[in-house]
Amino acid sequence: MSLGRRFTALDLTYLGVVAAVAGVIFALTWNIYFLGSAIGGPIVARVISYGLWFIGAPLAATLIRKPGTAFLGEFLGALVETLIPTYGAFTNLIYGFAQGLASEAAYMLFRYKKFGVLQASLAGAFAGPPCVALDALLFGDIYPAEVMVLITIAAVVSGAVYGAIAAIAVKTIRK
Amino acid sequence: MFKLRPLTLFIYGLIVTILAFIARSTEQLLILTLINSPVGIVLGLRKRFTALIALFLVGLIGLFINALIFSNSGALLVDLSFIAIKEGAITSFLNVTLRLLVILGAALIFITQTNARELIKSLEEELGLSKDIAYALAVGLRMLNILERDAGEIRLVRAERGFRKYPVTPADFGSFLRPLLSLGLERAVWIGIAAELRGFAQRSPRRVGLRVSLKDLVIYSILILQFIAVFVMH
């Protein structure tokens, strides 16, 4: 499949830069996650770190503003993180794929006509539930129901906040 | 030298990781661990991935606490005065630790034996990865070191100006991200223009199909054996 009809070399270079930025952020987020986990337990760890792991999608989509960029931003970021490598290793690819698809849905919902702060927030928020589901499925991070709800909310809120930050950062630069 | 193809190692690492998640019993995970982890850890220590291995060991503390809080059920094993450790906690901790050891081992085998640029080339030529994605990934990997240097400079400037060196709050993170992105995008403009001028749109990637050497066959055989081991013991 060639994306050439939709993406110029400049778009793809932007995508590469976003993947590198996201890869660096994703790799550093492991330290934040472990620190948060040690200080405040699973919910605090998710609030302060999960949104950073979802940031590739809103960054790429707000910058390039084309269909498919949210997915590619998140997935390529995860691929770069795998090659660095980090604690998550190949699992990053599985997470990147699922989170990228979920984030892409946020832009699809608006028929790819709007790439603002709201859409970026939603893109971050949408990546939360699949990430929590994968934690449970892959790592057996299954807690009592009320804790699971709080963890999902923490991931969604964190995703929304960092999604908005990513969009604001891109908009500031592009002014 | 026993040099392996990057694509073979990529497929190996990815499938072993998936197998680690499919495997549910301690016996299944133990087989995968014994095959992958010692090799991966030895290679990792040789190639200076000590920090990653150390991070793994630190993470085990959290895993044990997690197992104690949420899976401490079944027969009593150890009764300390302040906590009783039950069978469920140990089984849960052991399974997750073994799973992570398999993933770590597979990742270290892949990363220590692979050059990222060769991997991208191999993914494009043999697996038919889109040239656009291959290009974006190549740019990303090329920019990684430059961005890490930029991030270091931003931290330095932040410290000089009396801000926190490392971003802690979301606002800190925003002010850290903006210059990092700005520098990266500035470079991207010229890289993109140069690629376009050199005829990127017209470039058609060379496809050679999947090539398998004897060494690759050995790796695929080890993979199949692990596959059988996991499903026979299921």
Side-chain angles (χ1 to χ4, degrees), chain A residues 114-172:
Chain A
K114 288 183 177 176
F115 292 87
V117 177
L118 172 68
Q119 289 73 26
S121 261
L122 281 177
F126 279 15
C131 182
V132 173
L134 280 172
D135 283 347
L137 196 72
L138 302 180
F139 292 104
D141 269 5
I142 301 168
Y143 304 96
E146 60 274 18
V147 181
M148 283 307 280
V149 170
L150 285 175
I151 281 175
T152 311
I153 292 171
V156 166
V157 169
S158 180
V161 169
Y162 284 109
I165 289 170
I168 292 166
V170 171
K171 282 179 181 294
T172 311

Side-chain angles (χ1 to χ4, degrees), chain B residues 69-188:
Chain B
I69 296 171
F70 296 106
S71 310
N72 203 14
S73 57
L76 185 70
L77 294 179
V78 182
D79 192 7
L80 301 169
S81 58
F82 57 97
I83 194 164
I85 301 172
K86 294 178 181 172
E87 198 182 347
I90 297 297
T91 312
S92 164
F93 171 69
L94 197 64
N95 283 353
V96 179
T97 303
L98 289 175
R99 184 167 294 130
L100 291 177
L101 263 174
V102 176
I103 296 166
L104 179 76
L108 286 173
I109 291 171
F110 166 70
I111 222 74
T112 54
Q113 302 300 300
T114 307
N115 175 319
R117 291 178 72 180
E118 281 175 22
L119 172 72
I120 297 168
K121 197 176 161 211
S122 182
L123 286 174
E124 189 185 17
E125 289 183 357
E126 295 178 50
L127 219 57
L129 182 74
S130 154
K131 71 165 184 177
D132 303 319
I133 294 174
Y135 170 75
L137 190 56
V139 170
L141 288 171
R142 180 72 190 86
M143 292 291 283
L144 204 56
N145 289 336
I146 300 168
L147 282 171
E148 273 172 343
R149 210 172 53 211
D150 288 346
E153 278 178 28
I154 293 166
R155 279 198 293 269
L156 202 69
V157 172
R158 286 177 67 89
E160 288 294 313
R161 291 185 177 181
F163 293 104
R164 268 188 287 265
K165 200 173 173 184
Y166 291 93
V168 177
T169 63
D172 282 350
F173 181 73
S175 67
F176 187 85
L177 184 63
R178 278 192 294 275
L180 190 65
L181 259 182
S182 178
L183 290 167
L185 296 180
E186 182 70 27
R187 291 192 181 97

Side-chain angles (χ1 to χ4, degrees), chain B residues 32-42 98 100-106 108-109:
Chain B
L32 295 176
T33 307
L34 288 174
I35 295 172
N36 296 289
S37 306
V39 180
I41 289 170
V42 168
L98 289 175
L100 291 177
L101 263 174
V102 176
I103 296 166
L104 179 76
L108 286 173
I109 291 171

Side-chain angles (χ1 to χ4, degrees), chain A residues 25-169:
Chain A
I25 293 170
F26 292 170
L28 292 173
T29 305
W30 283 101
N31 302 333
I32 300 170
Y33 175 76
F34 283 122
L35 193 72
S37 200
I39 296 170
I43 296 169
V44 172
R46 278 158 177 87
V47 168
I48 62 169
S49 71
Y50 268 33
L52 291 169
W53 271 314
F54 310 151
I55 211 163
L59 268 182
T62 315
L63 187 68
I64 302 167
R65 299 169 161 258
K66 286 183 181 175
T69 41
F71 170 74
L72 286 174
E74 186 69 20
F75 185 66
L76 289 179
L79 196 53
V80 169
E81 188 193 1
T82 305
L83 295 171
I84 286 177
T86 61
Y87 189 77
F90 281 97
T91 51
N92 296 329
L93 287 181
I94 303 168
Y95 279 86
F97 186 82
Q99 289 162 196
L101 281 181
S103 295
E104 186 69 39
Y107 294 97
M108 204 187 282
L109 210 67
F110 290 87
R111 297 182 183 182
Y112 298 108
K113 285 178 181 163
K114 288 183 177 176
F115 292 87
V117 177
L118 172 68
Q119 289 73 26
S121 261
L122 281 177
F126 279 15
C131 182
V132 173
L134 280 172
D135 283 347
L137 196 72
L138 302 180
F139 292 104
D141 269 5
I142 301 168
Y143 304 96
E146 60 274 18
V147 181
M148 283 307 280
V149 170
L150 285 175
I151 281 175
T152 311
I153 292 171
V156 166
V157 169
S158 180
V161 169
Y162 284 109
I165 289 170
I168 292 166

